[in-house]
Amino acid sequence: MTSTDILYFIITRKPEHPGHINAGRICYIREHRHRLELKISPSPTKVPVFLMDSKSAIDYKIEVSSMEPLSVEEAELLQALPEDAERLKWFRERDALKTAMGLTVGTVVTVDEGGEKLRGIIRYIGKLTQPSYFCPISGRFFGIELQGEDRRKGKCDGTFQYTTRFSCAKDCGIFAPFSRVRPLVPSSLSPSVPNSSSQPETEELTTGDRVTYFISNECRHGMVVCVQEKDGKQVVRISTDTDENGKRGGEVDVPLEFVAKGEVPAEPESMDVDAPPVEPDTDDLYMDLTVNSVVEVTLATGNSYGIIRWIGFLPGGKETMAGLELEEDNGVSNGTFKGERFFDCPPKRALFVKLKSCRPDSRFQSTSANHSERMLKQEDAEDETDCITGKLETVPPISTEQVNQILIGRMKGIQGHCNSCYMDAALFSLFSCSSVLDSMLFKSTQPQDAPIQRTLLHNIVNPLRSKGYVEGRHIMKLRQQLEKHGYSHSFTTDEKDPEEFLTVIMHHILALDPLLKLSADGKVQESYCYQIFLDQNHSLVLPTVQQLLEHSFHTAGLKLAEVPSCLILQMPRFGKKFKMFDKIIPSLELDITDLLSEGPQQCMLCGNLAQLECTDCFTDPLFSQTGFKIFCGKCSSQVHSHPQRQSHRPAALDIPKGYLGRGTHALIRDKLELFAVLCIETSHYVSFIKYGPNSQDWIFFDSMADREGETDGFNIPEVHTCPEVGKYLEMSPAELANQVPREMKGVAKRLFCDAYMYLYQSTSMCLYR
């Protein structure tokens, strides 16, 4: 369950009970629980909420009048503040929150550090720690690279607790909450310190001051000539370092509100490049450019020619860049950028530009270049023709017999690149050996989303199944398409959760019908994934997935409205720091018969048609390790004749007409089979695939198995068999509980101890079997 399935609040008035809760505390309630509360009372005076950062799973009923709702973004920003009183103070400064939500990577800001205002550029926005089980979101911080005279006044190099969030020189980085960060260009929404009126809005400018000014969202520098009034407004005349055309010298008049005293240096070793005009739907024409490609770029002085010597991401950058060795001395270095060497060339010959700004050298664009372009255009044309005629190529998933031949080895699977492991593991799990969700590859979709569907089918799924390998550039193409569609500004750079990616693809892009339909109090809720939650009174120690699902459904009062074709289960853990269980035993089959809201069910004791369900028996030690507590009339009478159970109140089940009086031979158990498991350890996702009928038929996939194998930013993926998993699955629970994780053979520890998401399928609904 993602943070968007949760409603967040801030407590604005200290409640009378319990007395330990302060105003300013952030709390939350699951959305489905909130709906249930509203069904009970349309206008409740109190709502049961969980406290953020609590060390227990106890909810507290807080008066609605004592809370204010928060968006997820507001909750993340406020959660970064350490004290409740400080959160409340800044919550009431609404403009500050609004401004903070508008800050983006690359914004020039000042940051308060030890009473001093330091100038810098935002290089990172996001969490520093993983959410925990009791705190489903983490605080949103701003990573800032200090500039100019303030360099070396920081505390880090962009690394926090051994994880690199951005790259900068030593002691040039600072992580700060929004309350300490202000845009350098003042605006009506810029945050001010609450309850303080003594702080000046701007610094006084005098002739000769060095300043930073902004024109057309570009940062430039110069010296103040004078400050004068023009048409009733304060205007600063500036002697420019370079004008809008890149020429040195000249003067320009700039409104005072777009001028800041002091100088924030521009990137020292990059140059403005005019991107060549491109036709629609040709975003990926540069994708066949590689190291040693001969290219040209358009600069302010005209076209320049050179050879690509390096491709990757520059420190703090989020776009794919190319390091060029130019033919003439039009560059800015000898292959270094900010003191770090990326390749070697003569001085003044190196230039770093966006890869998409490069195009094949037109002077030599004969057979090779024209052929490449024709092939790309032909491929796009074929894709469009296939969509029109309905002739989409179909490659079946890899069968049990083909796994060793097609899928096993180095440079197999999906190639990882730049925090893509969440996407690599999810796509590999869904499509390598299963066809349960192949319908999403062929269903009709909106014209603007068709390129994403074609990329998914032609560039990812089909090569994976036919060759056993997908190049990292195809995954990057998909990420670029998702980012271009506006679903996230950081799909090409940041790590994300698999469920976030799957929801975007299945729901927002391809409009796939929800995989899961849950019944609660006679109403149906729809979802694509299910997050398992347990109450604090559970008695499970070494649970199976079957037990976790049953306990979670019982706790939430849920049933399945229908048999799902694919069931995606998220384990009761958050991030890498909190796991509710040291080990979880995979259930190779998931029996969902007793979880269905409709249809006949069997008595758990004798197997005859069940007529009664007893929720009171769920916590009974005798039944705690078994499924839902349903009985036939005879067995229910025997069970509840015990003195400790005479107070139980069994409820009658809805039995379809025509089933009364039938024996067990008329009942069919509904089961789902396990086909994949996603695991996470230290923010890195891998996957296990159950590809055959035997207990040892498992393979393990890591898209970044060798992170040092290549130098262009891409990694070497690997797929290998892991029959050792079968040995542990055959152990008794007692034997498995005694296994020391670090001593488990092969990669078995990853499966049993690091499981994040289980994927089950209905065998009757797969396209290929």
Side-chain angles (χ1 to χ4, degrees), residues 149-188:
E149 296 179 355
D150 294 329
R151 287 174 62 83
R152 304 295 179 183
K153 294 182 180 179
K155 296 183 176 180
C156 67
D157 60 355
T159 298
F160 183 84
Q161 292 184 351
Y162 307 105
T163 300
T164 300
R165 303 299 179 178
F166 67 95
S167 296
C168 67
K170 183 180 179 181
D171 295 332
C172 289
I174 285 180
F175 292 101
F178 79 97
S179 59
R180 292 165 48 199
V181 179
R182 290 150 179 73
L184 187 61
V185 179
S187 73
S188 60

Side-chain angles (χ1 to χ4, degrees), residues 76-77 80 96-97 99-105 107 109 111 121-128 139-145 165-166 173-182:
E76 289 176 342
L77 287 168
L97 276 173
T99 298
M101 287 189 286
L103 294 176
T104 59
V105 172
T107 300
V109 295
V111 55
I121 299 175
I122 296 177
R123 299 301 191 193
Y124 171 80
I125 302 176
K127 61 190 178 185
L128 297 183
R140 181 184 297 186
F141 288 83
F142 295 84
I144 298 165
E145 180 180 4
R165 303 299 179 178
F166 67 95
I174 285 180
F175 292 101
F178 79 97
S179 59
R180 292 165 48 199
V181 179
R182 290 150 179 73

Side-chain angles (χ1 to χ4, degrees), residues 17 45 57 128 146 167 207 217 247 256 326 352 355 439-440 548 582-583 611 624 628 637 673 678 757 766:
H17 180 78
T45 58
L128 297 183
L146 300 178
S167 296
T207 300
N217 293 324
K247 296 180 180 179
L256 179 61
L326 301 178
F352 294 90
L355 180 60
S439 60
M440 65 191 278
L548 291 174
D582 292 331
K583 299 189 189 80
Q611 298 169 296
S624 62
F628 270 64
S637 297
E673 71 172 13
L678 271 73
M757 180 181 285
C766 293

Side-chain angles (χ1 to χ4, degrees), residues 7 42 106 137 179 301 314 352 365 382 386 468 529 667 755:
L7 302 178
I137 60 171
S179 59
T301 56
L314 292 173
F352 294 90
Q365 216 172 351
E382 288 176 352
D386 288 342
C529 307
L667 304 181

